[in-house]
Amino acid sequence: MLRIAVAALVVAATGCASSSGAAAAGRAGNATVTGSVAYPATGLQGDPCSAVRVTVAEGNSPALGWGEVKQSRNNRCSFNVRGLPEDKDLTVELGVDAGLKCANGAAPTVTPGPTKMKIAKFAAPVVSFKLACE
């Protein structure tokens, strides 16, 4: 029984220590992007906070860092993406799942578009996005 518990502990510790491709590629860092996504009180079909994702990329690379989006107050979602490389030209972008629609069936518009920035070590710039239905 003790061997099983020790084996489970080793597997769990190894699993927690594994990382995404960003860290594996040696491009993880100590920078973070944080912010909010405002959405209209009415007119959206679906849950905006589970239907959006914030990606941070360097050039044409795959998404970097580890991100999460959470429901906040006053028709907003809050997000943070951490583990980003510092002093690199990064692009922060809000993506919307195809299932999130306006009442008229159209996809919501996102403003601003992709945002370019360089983040200093241990910095956490704030980026705010807005979803709108026309």
Side-chain angles (χ1 to χ4, degrees):
M1 186 71 167
L2 181 60
R3 287 184 197 170
I4 293 172
V6 171
L9 181 62
V10 169
V11 169
T14 305
C16 292
S18 67
S19 59
S20 72
R27 297 161 26 133
N30 295 311
T32 299
V33 171
T34 186
S36 66
V37 180
Y39 57 88
T42 60
L44 280 177
Q45 300 172 349
D47 176 20
C49 295
S50 64
V52 297
R53 69 203 164 289
V54 178
T55 57
V56 180
E58 180 184 3
N60 293 328
S61 72
L64 302 171
W66 301 270
E68 65 180 336
V69 177
K70 294 181 178 181
Q71 179 67 46
S72 191
R73 297 182 268 177
N74 301 327
N75 303 320
R76 293 187 186 282
C77 311
S78 61
F79 71 86
N80 69 49
V81 182
R82 64 190 192 290
L84 299 171
E86 59 272 347
D87 296 323
K88 302 285 183 183
D89 291 321
L90 302 176
T91 303
V92 181
E93 187 171 7
L94 181 72
V96 180
D97 292 343
L100 186 65
K101 300 284 184 192
C102 295
N104 64 5
T109 58
V110 175
T111 53
T115 303
K116 296 190 182 291
M117 64 178 57
K118 262 189 187 181
I119 307 172
K121 189 173 189 176
F122 299 112
V126 176
V127 179
S128 296
F129 291 102
K130 183 176 181 180
L131 295 175
C133 290
E134 298 174 7

